[in-house]
Amino acid sequence: MSTTALESAAARRAQAGWRDRLQDWLPRIVLAPSFAIILLFVYGFILWTVYLSFTKSKMMPVYKLAGFDSYERLFAQPSWYMALGNIAIFGILYVGICIALGLLLAILLDQKIRGEGVLRPIYLYPMAVSFIVTGTAWKWFLNPGTGLEKTMQDWGWTSFHFDWLVNTDMAIYTIVIAGVWQAAGFCMAMFLAGLRGIDGEIMKAAQIDGASTYATYRRIVIPALRPVFLSAFIVLTHMAIKSYDLVIALTGGGPGNSTELPSTFMYSYTFTRNQMGVGASSAVIMLMTVAAIIVPYLYSELKEPVR
Amino acid sequence: MFKKMLSVAAATAALLAFQPAAPARAADSVEVLHWWTSGGEAAGLAVLKKTLADQGVEWKDAPVAGGGGSGAMTTLKARMTAGNPPTASQMLGYAILDWAEAGALADLTPIAVANHWDSAIPKAIQKFATYEGKWIAAPVNVHSTNWIWVSKAAMDKVGLPAPTDWDSLIKVMDKAKSLGIIPLAQGGQAWQEATMFDSVVLTTGGADLYKKAMIDLDEGALKSPAMHTAFERMAKLRTYVDPNFPGRDWNLATSMVIKGEALLQVMGDWAKGEFINAKKEPGKDFLCFRFPGTQGVVTFNADQFVFFKHGSAPLDAGATKMATDIETASFQSAFNVIKGSAPARTDVPDTAFDACGKKAMADLKDAVAKNTLLGSSAQGYGVPPAIQNAMYDVITKLFNGQLTVDQAFAEFPKAIAAAK
């Protein structure tokens, strides 16, 4: 009797040990394939691109190093400076307006209004539309011959004039308009979640202390939303830098090359102009730009203790 | 359990053992990468499919849509890098020579010799179909790009004779403008503006200037006063375009001419397909002229098929049949009647072609005889892609008012030099 009890206890212990070990290892086993895939297909190809940027690759990759030749060619291209200027305009306005508009919409929606359940998805839905659809729809809407301008003139407002889409100086702003239309609702959702996370007691305390609504938002609510600002900023910045499909669908980089962005530049040099080396070097510059923004954020996030 | 595993292993082994024994291809087949997906193009390709099917060759379609084939070329690069090329691919201009230089293309010389390609296909096109004395591509057609497509109804309203040189073209367009007709239907994409620029250079300085400046990239020709005039004329043409042209596709510009909203379009002869699709007849509803002042010269863009090496094996039966069929007079005629282009072989009878097609074939023969069949730089038959796109940059910036005539004139040789 006592021996059988001992045996079964030992068996149970062995089983438990096996199960513990499995539990220890399971996450690693499950994650290993995706980890290996990411290592190869993300970081491997980043390194490959960096390598190619130091070669004179034309149509197909060549592996003979050529120093900074591609970078010199890149920075001799007027359209690259056009692309850099445009990404600055687009990035600043897109991120800035999205955050401002998202915050405003979130604050308005947070006033415990009726019909919030209906309004919220209406603002959020543009996010569900692909950039190609957004771009094409806005192209029709903004084209003076088919869209807004023509409609207004047909309705009798004959002096109405809105030709940004076909104006080389203003076309980049139409991309901002379409981009903001798409992403502002998403920002709103982020801020709304942030607002719902603020302790109502603090707001009440501020009210009792006699703070005005404006002061409450400026001094309490907005500072409390700091992490949301940071997330929104990071998400929008990388969307701005990699935006490609929106430009292709909306303006095709034109009129002229007035809406060229680094992403469209990179694609055309790598794949249609057979200057893969220059394309790769522009991709590396883009990566460094993204890294310059993301790394400080990661650094600050990792330094902060986990709450 | 063990038994089950054993049986699975045995089955796998049997499969593996069986595989090499099975023939690599049950029947002859060709896998063809192309971008002929729109109505008229697909109908043209169906002719080839049917011809091959009658010979027992199975056609495996690998279409990648997208005008100009940039998407298809990206796909091809990926497949080549992966070591899995298709049997054949549609290809244009310098890309053919680049792939030949990379050693990827199969030698078609035996087929070419047997079928007398050399005497039938113009030398200017052979430049892009041969590499180091070997045939590496089978040309299907010759599109010429120095055409204007004119609305008959609008032309009747204008009431002037057909333009034959630059000045009469301007006169006709001025008259149309005064009548409230858009004189020039233009699609605002760089390649379309560059296609028009090819013709403007031709009419300004003739075949000689075009060849020196746009193909040989001769510094002296690029900086000559005639090129300055060409840029001035380009800026002048800008004044005849409606304000909504940026980003417009070429076929939308063609439909403006079809509807009679616009007088004319400068475009390659693929535009004819749009007229035919809209049930319009040449001579009755629309007119085709050479770009005024360029009669006697043809700038071309030729679609070709290349075949890929598969290891060291010789070209297989399916590919051989396909290459042979492409260069038969019956296919060249049937295909090009539908596609709107002229046959790549100059010995094909023109009986099946419409008025514009007959003119295209006659002009082609004429240009071959005069040695004025020139590659279109805008279409990748004049200069390599890097330089072609550098030209696009300057031309489109001028046409969209980002550069003045003087700036464009100064920028053009610089941009070309930077892309070399």
Side-chain angles (χ1 to χ4, degrees):
Chain A
M1 158 91 202
S2 67
T3 46
T4 48
L6 257 171
E7 268 171 13
S8 70
R12 229 178 293 133
R13 253 202 315 276
Q15 207 178 359
W18 182 79
R19 205 179 282 156
D20 277 350
R21 269 204 304 280
L22 186 70
Q23 236 156 24
D24 261 9
W25 277 96
L26 201 59
R28 288 177 223 190
I29 294 167
V30 170
L31 284 177
S34 61
F35 181 77
I37 287 168
I38 287 173
L39 198 66
L40 177 65
F41 287 101
V42 176
Y43 296 96
F45 284 146
I46 288 176
L47 289 178
W48 195 41
T49 304
V50 172
Y51 186 92
L52 285 183
S53 75
F54 288 103
T55 66
K56 282 188 179 180
S57 297
K58 298 267 190 205
M59 181 177 77
M60 297 291 278
V62 295
Y63 297 103
K64 192 173 166 294
L65 286 174
F68 283 93
D69 179 75
S70 293
Y71 289 90
E72 278 165 25
R73 281 168 177 273
L74 174 68
F75 282 97
Q77 300 288 345
S79 48
W80 174 241
Y81 290 98
M82 190 73 180
L84 290 180
N86 279 342
I87 191 68
I89 296 174
F90 174 67
I92 291 169
L93 289 180
Y94 173 72
V95 175
I97 297 175
C98 273
I99 287 182
L101 207 59
L103 180 63
L104 184 70
L105 286 174
I107 290 174
L108 293 180
L109 264 188
D110 196 35
Q111 305 304 311
K112 309 213 165 41
I113 53 168
R114 229 187 302 163
E116 192 203 315
V118 177
L119 284 173
R120 203 173 40 200
I122 287 178
Y123 286 118
L124 198 52
Y125 269 147
M127 196 70 188
V129 175
S130 83
F131 274 117
I132 292 288
V133 177
T134 307
T136 309
W138 278 94
K139 179 163 95 176
W140 291 337
F141 182 68
L142 292 173
N143 188 300
T146 57
L148 184 63
E149 183 177 304
K150 184 168 185 303
T151 311
M152 286 298 171
Q153 288 177 354
D154 286 352
W155 284 353
W157 187 0
T158 47
S159 61
F160 183 83
H161 199 58
F162 190 76
D163 68 344
W164 284 11
L165 188 69
V166 297
N167 182 329
T168 47
D169 296 325
M170 305 306 284
I172 186 71
Y173 300 104
T174 62
I175 295 178
V176 176
I177 293 172
V180 166
W181 176 80
Q182 177 146 34
F186 169 70
C187 269
M188 177 205 76
M190 286 176 82
F191 281 115
L192 201 55
L195 285 171
R196 295 286 148 83
I198 294 173
D199 193 350
E201 298 299 317
I202 303 175
M203 304 276 279
K204 277 187 194 135
Q207 260 172 352
I208 289 163
D209 284 348
S212 67
T213 318
Y214 172 75
T216 317
Y217 274 102
R218 201 173 77 86
R219 302 262 178 189
I220 299 171
V221 176
I222 292 176
L225 288 176
R226 196 183 129 251
V228 185
F229 274 101
L230 213 53
S231 317
F233 177 73
I234 297 296
V235 170
L236 290 171
T237 309
H238 94 268
M239 275 167 69
I241 290 175
K242 73 179 189 189
S243 61
Y244 170 82
D245 29 15
L246 184 63
V247 184
I248 293 299
L250 187 59
T251 65
N257 70 347
S258 59
T259 51
E260 184 98 81
L261 289 181
S263 52
T264 58
F265 180 95
M266 189 275 292
Y267 181 84
S268 82
Y269 274 74
T270 310
F271 295 112
T272 59
R273 298 186 177 215
N274 286 357
Q275 287 173 280
M276 198 176 271
V278 177
S281 60
S282 71
V284 171
I285 300 283
M286 280 166 72
L287 175 72
M288 288 179 0
T289 318
V290 178
I293 296 165
I294 302 283
V295 168
Y297 165 73
L298 279 182
Y299 185 71
S300 71
E301 278 293 288
L302 293 178
K303 221 173 63 175
E304 269 178 31
V306 182
R307 268 175 294 181
Chain B
M1 177 71 195
F2 182 70
K3 230 181 213 169
K4 197 176 162 196
M5 270 171 70
L6 199 69
S7 69
V8 168
T12 315
L15 263 177
L16 284 172
F18 180 68
Q19 218 158 26
R25 281 190 178 125
D28 292 334
S29 69
V30 286
E31 189 191 7
V32 184
L33 183 72
H34 65 89
W35 58 90
W36 278 334
T37 49
S38 82
E41 297 168 338
L45 205 58
V47 176
L48 184 58
K49 281 183 206 175
K50 183 159 186 321
T51 314
L52 284 168
D54 291 345
Q55 294 174 306
V57 180
E58 188 197 348
W59 178 283
K60 288 182 189 155
D61 217 24
V64 180
S70 59
M73 288 299 105
T74 308
T75 306
L76 182 64
K77 277 177 210 171
R79 290 192 57 168
M80 289 302 288
T81 314
N84 173 33
T87 314
S89 170
Q90 185 188 353
M91 209 176 263
L92 295 174
Y94 275 88
I96 299 171
L97 301 181
D98 286 344
W99 283 109
E101 194 186 342
L105 302 186
D107 183 6
L108 305 178
T109 312
I111 304 167
V113 170
N115 296 287
H116 314 289
W117 293 8
D118 190 52
S119 57
I121 294 167
K123 288 277 178 284
I125 294 169
Q126 286 189 27
K127 191 185 151 197
F128 294 95
T130 55
Y131 182 74
E132 291 179 344
K134 286 180 183 154
W135 282 87
I136 36 95
V140 182
N141 60 7
V142 184
H143 277 297
S144 55
T145 58
N146 54 330
W147 285 106
I148 58 173
W149 304 91
V150 185
S151 156
K152 181 86 172 13
M155 198 63 196
D156 287 346
K157 269 188 222 159
V158 169
L160 290 171
T164 51
D165 57 11
W166 176 260
D167 291 333
S168 55
L169 174 69
I170 293 299
K171 226 175 261 167
V172 167
M173 293 207 293
D174 278 336
K175 184 77 187 291
K177 205 175 183 179
S178 71
L179 291 171
I181 304 167
I182 299 166
L184 182 58
Q186 177 68 29
Q189 291 164 348
W191 70 270
Q192 299 184 50
E193 291 149 4
T195 302
M196 188 157 74
F197 187 70
D198 275 358
S199 290
V200 172
V201 172
L202 263 185
T203 190
T204 308
D208 193 46
L209 175 73
Y210 180 85
K211 190 170 179 313
K212 274 190 190 150
M214 302 295 283
I215 295 178
D216 300 340
L217 307 175
D218 174 68
E219 190 95 341
L222 284 170
K223 291 180 178 168
S224 67
M227 280 304 276
H228 193 273
T229 312
F231 281 112
E232 274 169 21
R233 287 180 168 183
M234 202 61 190
K236 175 81 178 161
L237 286 176
R238 170 71 176 83
T239 61
Y240 294 104
V241 172
D242 66 306
N244 302 328
F245 80 98
R248 180 186 288 147
D249 290 318
W250 67 269
N251 51 345
L252 297 181
T254 312
S255 80
M256 290 167 67
V257 178
I258 293 175
K259 287 184 206 150
E261 288 168 11
L263 176 66
L264 61 89
Q265 182 187 18
V266 183
M267 187 43 60
D269 47 20
W270 46 90
K272 194 176 81 181
E274 295 291 309
F275 286 98
I276 305 294
N277 269 346
K279 306 272 180 286
K280 301 287 175 188
E281 273 177 47
K284 200 173 125 237
D285 304 306
F286 69 99
L287 307 164
C288 49
F289 304 122
R290 289 291 161 187
F291 189 91
T294 68
Q295 183 67 46
V297 187
V298 170
T299 48
F300 75 88
N301 164 22
D303 288 301
Q304 315 204 27
F305 275 107
V306 298
F307 296 82
F308 294 98
K309 283 182 190 165
H310 285 82
S312 55
L315 211 56
D316 66 29
T320 307
K321 280 179 193 159
M322 182 177 158
T324 312
D325 287 345
I326 287 172
E327 299 302 334
T328 56
S330 58
F331 168 72
Q332 292 255 324
S333 175
F335 176 84
N336 286 303
V337 164
I338 298 171
K339 181 79 162 72
S341 40
R345 287 183 81 112
T346 48
D347 58 359
V348 175
D350 69 356
T351 40
F353 290 80
D354 61 23
C356 292
K358 286 195 168 87
K359 178 170 166 53
M361 291 171 72
D363 286 352
L364 179 64
K365 266 184 204 153
D366 182 37
V368 171
K370 285 192 202 155
N371 201 18
T372 53
L373 177 62
L374 301 166
S376 161
S377 291
Q379 301 291 332
Y381 268 91
V383 288
I387 295 171
Q388 176 195 353
N389 281 285
M391 288 177 168
Y392 281 9
D393 286 346
V394 178
I395 295 164
T396 189
K397 278 201 258 178
L398 169 77
F399 203 72
N400 287 283
Q402 289 175 294
L403 294 176
T404 65
V405 170
D406 289 335
Q407 285 169 338
F409 176 64
E411 183 89 8
F412 199 59
K414 273 191 227 159
I416 290 169
K420 269 184 189 168

